[in-house]
Every structure is written in C-alpha cells, then in structure tokens.
Amino acid sequence: METFADYILSEKDWVKKMEIMYYLKKKTGIFFDNSVIFKTFLAKLFLDHTDLGLDKNLVLTACLLCNCQKSNDPQDLSKIKSYAKDGADYLGSLGFSDKFCKICEEVNRYSGSSPREKESDVLELVDQFGGMLLDRPERIAFKTDEALVLLEYRNLRDKYNRYLPNFKEFVNEMESVLV
C-alpha cells in the first residue's frame, strides 16, 4: 500500500506537489500558506543556481512540509520551539523515512539534533531568509541586503551552516540580475 510519503515524493513536478499540499491542508489543517510557497520557490532557485549535489526533489518536498505543524500564533514561544519536532513526528506517521523527518526537524535548531543533515542547512537558510523578506503583522519586510546581514550575523552567529557562503553568493548574484 502506498503511503502519503511515497505519493508526494514520487511527484517530481514541484507545482503539482503544491497542489497536493493544498489538498492536504484542506483535509488535515496543516500549516501551508503563501510563505511556504515563497520559501520553496526560493529553495528551488537556489538549488537550480548551485550544484550542491543534493536531491532537489527531496529538498523541495521537505521545504513544503517542514513547517506543517507551525502555529499561526507567533507569540506562543513553546509552540515555536516545538513545531519542527512535532512536525517531524507527524511526518513519520505519514510514512516518511527517519532521515526525511530529521531533515524537517532541523529546519531550526531548537531540537538540538546533531549532526545536521546537509538538506537541513538549505531549509534553514531559505526559511530564515525568506521569512525576513516577507511582511509580518509586527514588522515590515527587510530589504534583501539587511536580511542577508541579519541572517549571517544575528540568526546564524556562532552556528555553522555549510551552505551560507553559497547562499550569500546566490542572493548577491540574483539581486544584481534583478537590479
């Protein structure tokens, strides 16, 4: 019997994956909104631009699902610290492998999981950077250069992310193309 994990991972078209996510949200109430789509698109651009040797299908699927148990209440600190772990547990119940669940759990560093999966470093970068580029109820979006500085010197200060140099180069190149 095919699991949900088999179903979504076998779909190679990331736009069709988003359609699957839309229906999963309707059926289960998982977290899936425009910010997830934006961050997944950012991950796709980054992976298309660089040769990191990662499975793009796996990373994009993880990007769509890693925030599945995220709360709409940004003030609930306990939920902020547990949503990635809760999401990984939920994804395990849908048939995803332990490695896939670990990748999703490591979207942030609250669980303390170590060593980190390579794919998790990509999720961390697009989740944090993409989040800073979007307006929130409590603040307006940061400019690209401000978000990049905050990512490197505040969010990831004293933390190792193996793809940060690649990501900074990608953002700077994309910004020069768009400008």
Side-chain angles (χ1 to χ4, degrees):
M1 176 184 236
E2 183 179 56
T3 65
F4 176 76
D6 297 328
Y7 175 64
I8 197 165
L9 285 168
S10 68
E11 179 55 67
K12 302 301 183 200
D13 183 333
W14 77 282
V15 174
K16 290 180 181 174
K17 284 182 187 292
M18 287 190 296
E19 185 177 353
I20 294 167
M21 291 296 299
Y22 171 79
Y23 288 110
L24 182 65
K25 177 186 176 171
K26 287 273 193 201
K27 184 172 174 121
T28 66
I30 63 160
F31 184 84
F32 179 72
D33 67 1
N34 289 339
S35 70
V36 175
I37 295 168
F38 175 70
K39 292 171 186 179
T40 304
F41 183 63
L42 182 60
K44 182 183 182 323
L45 290 175
F46 177 55
L47 294 172
D48 287 347
H49 182 76
T50 56
D51 184 20
L52 303 177
L54 300 176
D55 180 341
K56 291 178 187 178
N57 182 50
L58 179 78
V59 174
L60 295 179
T61 305
C63 201
L64 288 169
L65 287 161
C66 68
N67 290 309
C68 66
Q69 294 297 304
K70 191 172 186 177
S71 171
N72 285 323
D73 181 10
Q75 306 304 322
D76 187 352
L77 193 57
S78 66
K79 188 67 177 159
I80 290 171
K81 289 185 174 185
S82 68
Y83 81 85
K85 176 69 174 130
D86 295 344
D89 294 342
Y90 174 72
L91 294 172
S93 75
L94 296 179
F96 287 95
S97 70
D98 290 343
K99 180 181 178 180
F100 185 91
C101 294
K102 185 174 186 281
I103 290 166
C104 292
E105 178 183 334
E106 293 173 345
V107 67
N108 61 40
R109 296 184 183 242
Y110 289 120
S111 72
S113 177
S114 183
R116 290 176 55 82
E117 299 291 333
K118 291 177 182 179
E119 297 85 356
S120 302
D121 281 356
V122 173
L123 294 186
E124 178 179 58
L125 291 169
V126 298
D127 189 62
Q128 290 189 28
F129 182 76
M132 287 188 272
L133 297 181
L134 298 170
D135 286 332
R136 290 193 178 162
E138 71 274 10
R139 64 154 175 82
I140 60 170
F142 291 99
K143 294 179 182 172
T144 306
D145 58 338
E146 295 171 329
L148 204 52
V149 167
L150 288 171
L151 177 68
E152 182 175 11
Y153 295 106
R154 182 191 66 186
N155 295 19
L156 295 177
R157 185 184 72 217
D158 302 326
K159 294 175 178 67
Y160 174 69
N161 184 302
R162 73 192 92 216
Y163 300 123
L164 180 59
N166 306 80
F167 192 76
K168 286 172 37 184
E169 181 181 317
F170 159 73
V171 170
N172 289 325
E173 286 180 25
M174 289 297 107
E175 191 169 45
S176 69
V177 168
L178 295 175
V179 173

